[in-house]
Amino acid sequence: QKGGYDFFMQKEIYDQPEALHNTIMPRIHNGHADFSADNISDDIFKGVNRVIVTACGTAWHAGLVGRHLIEAMIRIPVTVELASEFRYMNPILDEHTLVVVITQSGETADSLAALRLANERGAKTISIVNVKGSSIARESDYVLYTHAGPEIAVASTKAFSVQCAGMYLIALKLAEVNNLMTDEQMKDFCDKFEQAIGTVEEVLKMDDYIKGISEKIKDTFSAFYLGRGLDYGIACEACLKLKEISYVNAEAYCAGELKHGTISLITEGVPIIAIATQENVLPKLMANVEEVKARGAHVIVVTDKDMSNYEGIYDDLIQVPATDDLFATFASTVALQLLAYHVTVFRGYDVDQPRNLAKSVTVE
Ligand code: M6R
């Protein structure tokens, strides 16, 4: 079942090129998002003036990525709500609000309750679901299935990548139906999307290199992930990966927040993993990194940018293939999944079955 891999998580990390291909390629044709095989009517996207994404855990992080993309690209306001909060929020919803529920299992109790509330309040609902015929799939107005295949490891990997891909597809469809992008821009979007997916194979080839970096930080008690903009969503997900399976006490921060408290936690040798794929905030991010380096942190930078101006302020560099900034999600995600995986193997824990965690949380 593990297909020759040591753990399901490892197999599922390696499944990602295929999972992404199967989720995306049937749905983009000639610069257009084509949901006809999914029986998703364009009507659900028409006139949408606000998007609310609701989900839990990893799926919520995919929502953070989606927000950045949709707001940057098509200027529709997006909020991303934890389903466990949303369900008790008395949210303001109407027929112009599109509620997107993201879930691998389709059975998460809080996400299902959030969906039911959105349905009751008259919002349009679409879910991004991996498990066919699950409760959330059945109760949403429409379902965009991710085609990742079964995910067995408790720690989500391929599910996250395809959930992000689902958000990119919804962004493209929203743009198209509401005339928010030209044909040329949509074609460009699809080209960049395909190119970004192609980088995943390249990152997988860096496995041994990333394993070497993991060994250097394997004995740490704590770690911090830093990112800005799109990279903050990636930082949150990468951080969850590390802490849930390796039991390292890890936190993700918007890098600009460090000065507002967290920097006091940085001591000699503490790993800082900085995700640096967003050109507009690169100098700012690296200035934050310089501050933690000056306090003795072990700095690992994950980037697709030229770092020659920043030599000396990092200890290790994970240089992933370059993509357009809005599409940088996939390469850095995969690199950081590998990092979490190897740290955990070095620490001798059961990667697939971390303590106290269930694959699907069907109780509140
Ligand atoms: O099945 P769902 O996507 O609704 O599950 C939500 C979370 O429980 C889940 O994403 C969890 O955070 C991950 N398995 C952690 O890796």
Side-chain angles (χ1 to χ4, degrees):
Q1 262 176 323
K2 288 181 198 151
Y5 292 95
D6 294 334
F7 290 97
F8 281 110
M9 182 184 177
Q10 187 186 29
K11 173 184 180 295
E12 289 160 8
I13 291 172
Y14 274 83
D15 281 348
Q16 288 175 108
E18 191 186 347
L20 285 163
H21 184 275
N22 293 346
T23 300
I24 298 161
M25 297 320 287
R27 293 171 171 138
I28 53 175
H29 300 298
N30 305 323
H32 293 277
D34 179 359
F35 292 172
S36 52
D38 302 285
N39 292 319
I40 301 175
S41 157
D42 279 1
D43 288 347
I44 190 177
F45 301 104
K46 219 167 267 168
V48 165
N49 61 15
R50 187 165 156 244
V51 175
I52 298 178
V53 183
T54 184
C56 302
T58 288
W60 184 76
H61 299 151
L64 294 181
V65 170
R67 172 176 68 188
H68 185 86
L69 176 79
I70 293 175
E71 292 196 338
M73 212 178 63
I74 53 175
R75 313 299 296 151
I76 294 177
V78 182
T79 51
V80 188
E81 308 290 359
L82 291 166
S84 54
E85 291 294 311
F86 182 77
R87 62 182 296 188
Y88 296 114
M89 257 179 191
N90 193 11
I92 303 160
L93 303 172
D94 63 23
E95 72 279 15
H96 301 294
T97 311
L98 179 66
V99 172
V100 183
V101 181
I102 309 181
T103 171
Q104 190 285 131
S105 63
E107 301 295 346
T108 299
D110 285 321
S111 304
L112 181 58
L115 169 68
R116 286 180 176 158
L117 179 66
N119 281 336
E120 266 166 42
R121 299 272 171 112
K124 304 174 182 193
T125 59
I126 184 167
S127 54
I128 299 176
V129 183
N130 198 45
V131 176
K132 308 270 172 314
S134 53
S135 304
I136 291 176
R138 287 197 312 271
E139 295 192 28
S140 308
D141 291 341
Y142 293 101
V143 191
L144 186 71
Y145 279 115
T146 50
H147 299 308
E151 192 182 61
I152 310 292
V154 167
S156 287
T157 51
K158 61 180 176 176
F160 176 73
S161 290
V162 294
Q163 285 163 354
C164 291
M167 288 304 300
Y168 281 73
L169 290 166
I170 286 176
L172 183 63
K173 196 63 171 171
L174 274 170
E176 185 176 329
V177 171
N178 296 296
N179 298 317
L180 300 172
M181 277 161 72
T182 63
D183 282 352
E184 200 179 320
Q185 285 170 325
M186 290 193 293
K187 167 90 178 50
D188 186 52
F189 178 101
C190 293
D191 290 347
K192 287 173 174 164
F193 198 11
E194 272 191 66
Q195 190 264 334
I197 298 316
T199 63
V200 170
E201 287 280 10
E202 298 306 306
V203 176
L204 291 172
K205 290 181 192 152
M206 299 168 68
D207 197 351
D208 279 343
Y209 174 76
I210 294 171
K211 183 177 174 184
I213 297 175
S214 311
E215 191 168 14
K216 296 186 198 176
I217 62 165
K218 69 179 179 8
D219 295 320
T220 191
F221 171 75
S222 62
F224 296 91
Y225 286 79
L226 305 182
R228 282 172 174 258
L230 179 102
D231 287 337
Y232 175 62
I234 308 303
C236 290
E237 174 54 13
C239 177
L240 176 61
K241 282 304 76 92
L242 183 75
K243 63 183 160 189
E244 69 179 326
I245 58 172
S246 76
Y247 314 136
V248 171
N249 191 358
E251 288 298 333
Y253 282 93
C254 294
E257 275 295 291
L258 270 184
K259 284 194 185 67
H260 301 282
T262 320
I263 201 157
S264 66
L265 293 168
I266 310 297
T267 51
E268 194 65 34
V270 170
I272 296 283
I273 297 110
I275 303 142
T277 68
Q278 303 297 296
E279 191 69 55
N280 65 326
V281 285
L282 189 64
K284 299 286 175 201
L285 175 80
M286 293 312 287
N288 301 137
V289 171
E290 201 165 5
E291 286 163 356
V292 293
K293 180 72 188 148
R295 285 158 180 84
H298 179 106
V299 174
I300 301 168
V301 173
V302 181
T303 189
D304 63 342
K305 301 288 178 274
D306 173 12
M307 282 285 129
S308 48
N309 287 339
Y310 300 107
E311 272 167 24
I313 60 170
Y314 56 81
D315 297 275
D316 287 296
L317 186 64
I318 301 179
Q319 185 84 49
V320 296
T323 54
D324 180 88
D325 285 11
L326 281 181
F327 294 83
T329 307
F330 304 96
S332 47
T333 292
V334 174
L336 291 166
Q337 291 168 348
L338 288 170
L339 188 85
Y341 170 78
H342 287 300
V343 168
T344 307
V345 174
F346 280 124
R347 288 164 79 92
Y349 295 120
D350 181 347
V351 173
D352 288 336
Q353 201 51 259
R355 66 185 176 222
N356 307 338
L357 284 172
K359 181 67 183 160
S360 178
V361 184
T362 53
V363 291
E364 198 177 330

